[in-house]
Amino acid sequence: MIPISQRFVASQSARSCARALSTSRLVQSHIGSSPIKYTSEVKIQHIPTAFSTTDSRFFDKTTLQVTGPLGTRTMPIEPYVKLDFVKSKIAGGDTELLISVENSELKRQRQMWGTTRALINNCVTGVTEGFSATLRFVGVGYRAALEGGRLALRLGYSHPISMEIPEGLKVTVPVPTRVLISGSDLQQVKLFAAKVREWKKPEPYNQKGIFINDETIRKKDGKKK
């Protein structure tokens, strides 16, 4: 009778061989293969020039320019990513942008396939609808205001905090405990919101601090004597 340990090793070896000899086709990117639909108010141009002439990381990447009612966004396109524009046969209909890669069996190309599609879709959304983030100030004396084109924060420190507003973002303060950040670049909106939050992160005991959108934290009980 074969010992259990030897049977386990034999079964593991058989499974490894089966995986190595598998000829099943790799699953394609479900995100990357989804078309991007956009209206006539959006103009997308694939410019065959280097995204940057000073940064060596972008020498071999072409430029994609997305223009809409809220501005213009640009992003780099990998050399193995292909873009196909399919115009609607109906006058004034939506145009579809199809994204593909040269070899979907390569891991790097599969990864960038879905990533590129998501970034382009963010650009289209940014120049049409825009992105926004709401900061809520919870705490006694916590408030914000716009002073001289800068965001001034009063968070219980001995001095107010003055933050420069990045170019391309719009910041409004409807009430002292609310700050609205909007812009066409999702990454820039989230990054500035995170920088403001860094000055007073929400703490779990009194649940005070700066909260982003519908952010909540679980309340912790203090140490009991």
Side-chain angles (χ1 to χ4, degrees), residues 21-149:
L21 298 175
S22 176
T23 58
S24 60
R25 189 176 180 180
L26 293 171
V27 178
Q28 293 188 348
S29 172
H30 295 291
I31 297 176
S33 57
S34 301
I36 298 175
K37 295 184 179 180
Y38 58 95
T39 60
S40 57
E41 64 180 359
V42 177
K43 184 179 181 182
I44 300 180
Q45 287 182 305
H46 188 198
I47 306 171
T49 56
F51 183 75
S52 175
T53 57
T54 57
D55 193 337
S56 59
R57 296 175 301 169
F58 302 105
F59 286 171
D60 61 339
K61 297 181 172 89
T62 54
T63 305
L64 185 73
Q65 180 175 302
V66 183
T67 305
L70 300 182
T72 301
R73 298 277 297 113
T74 57
M75 62 168 287
I77 298 296
E78 297 286 347
Y80 47 77
V81 174
K82 298 180 181 180
L83 304 177
D84 296 321
F85 297 89
V86 180
K87 294 185 178 181
S88 175
K89 297 181 181 179
I90 303 174
D94 295 345
T95 303
E96 287 189 353
L97 173 59
L98 304 177
I99 298 97
S100 60
V101 292
E102 293 180 354
N103 187 358
S104 61
E105 294 185 357
L106 297 179
K107 183 178 180 180
R108 174 63 178 173
Q109 294 194 19
R110 288 200 312 274
Q111 291 173 338
M112 292 305 300
W113 188 1
T115 300
T116 302
R117 194 268 179 196
L119 293 176
I120 296 176
N121 189 63
N122 285 343
C123 289
V124 174
T125 304
V127 299
T128 53
E129 303 174 9
F131 299 99
S132 63
T134 303
L135 301 178
R136 297 179 289 114
F137 291 69
V138 180
V140 178
Y142 294 0
R143 59 188 185 276
L146 291 176
E147 299 177 357

Side-chain angles (χ1 to χ4, degrees), residues 2-17 19:
I2 302 175
I4 296 177
S5 58
Q6 293 183 7
R7 281 186 289 173
F8 176 77
V9 172
S11 63
Q12 289 294 102
S13 301
R15 291 177 184 176
S16 300
C17 292
R19 284 196 295 265

Side-chain angles (χ1 to χ4, degrees), residues 200-218:
K200 189 64 73 172
K201 293 181 180 179
E203 51 90 13
Y205 295 101
N206 296 318
Q207 293 187 318
K208 295 181 179 180
I210 301 176
F211 295 81
I212 300 178
N213 295 330
D214 297 328
E215 178 185 8
T216 58
I217 58 173
R218 180 176 296 180

